[in-house]
């Protein structure tokens, strides 16, 4: 089993390389950060769709529910990237009770998700 996981590691690392150099804006007005920098430590990065999309809402709900278990298992940081502007992302965090659960980033054009191979959600 561990050999299979080790064999998949180079593929996973290769899949993450396109994220280097892609910028997303954290909520709260801070300067844009490189998505590749989020991957430096043991992190969970969730690529959401638009903030009002039901799939993104489900991702947010599950992230809130499983955050304690993920941290118990050694995940050092939780990140959610939304294809939305800051106002929509703030409302998303407020309605789902995600304040303090994870770091939320705005990617209105969906560049980070597309670099990872995801659709924009609309």
């Amino acid at each position: 089993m561990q050999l299979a996981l080790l064999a998949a590691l180079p593929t996973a690392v290769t899949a993450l390389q396109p994220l280097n150099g892609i910028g997303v804006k954290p909520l709260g007005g801070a300067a844009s950060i490189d998505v590749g920098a989020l991957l430096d430590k043991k992190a969970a990065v969730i690529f959401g769709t638009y903030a009002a999309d039901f799939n993104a809402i489900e991702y947010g709900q599950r992230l809130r529910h499983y955050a304690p278990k993920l941290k118990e298992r050694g995940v050092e940081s939780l990140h959610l990237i939304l294809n939305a502007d800051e106002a929509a992302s703030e409302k998303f965090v407020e309605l789902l009770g995600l304040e303090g659960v994870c770091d939320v980033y705005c990617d209105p054009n969906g560049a980070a998700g597309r670099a990872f191979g995801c659709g924009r959600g609309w």
Side-chain angles (χ1 to χ4, degrees):
M1 177 73 167
Q2 286 185 336
L3 264 125
L5 291 174
L6 289 175
L9 189 57
T11 304
V13 171
T14 302
L16 299 176
Q17 287 175 345
L19 297 172
N20 290 323
I22 302 288
V24 292
K25 189 175 182 316
L27 281 183
S32 183
I33 65 159
D34 188 323
V35 176
L38 300 177
L39 307 170
D40 285 346
K41 45 186 169 174
K42 192 170 182 184
V45 180
I46 296 92
F47 294 89
T49 54
Y50 185 71
D53 183 68
F54 188 68
N55 291 316
I57 293 168
E58 283 187 331
Y59 295 157
Q61 290 171 332
R62 289 180 185 223
L63 180 57
R64 185 186 65 230
H65 177 78
Y66 288 108
K69 290 185 190 263
L70 289 167
K71 293 201 174 188
E72 282 175 18
R73 294 187 176 217
V75 175
E76 296 173 10
S77 57
L78 303 170
H79 308 280
L80 175 62
I81 301 172
L82 293 171
N83 295 344
D85 62 22
E86 190 156 351
S89 298
E90 286 173 348
K91 193 64 167 177
F92 181 92
V93 168
E94 175 191 334
L95 292 173
L96 295 179
L98 289 174
E99 184 72 39
V101 173
C102 62
D103 296 320
V104 177
Y105 302 89
C106 305
D107 182 24
N109 297 322
R114 281 195 314 277
F116 190 60
C118 300
R120 289 178 54 185
W122 65 78

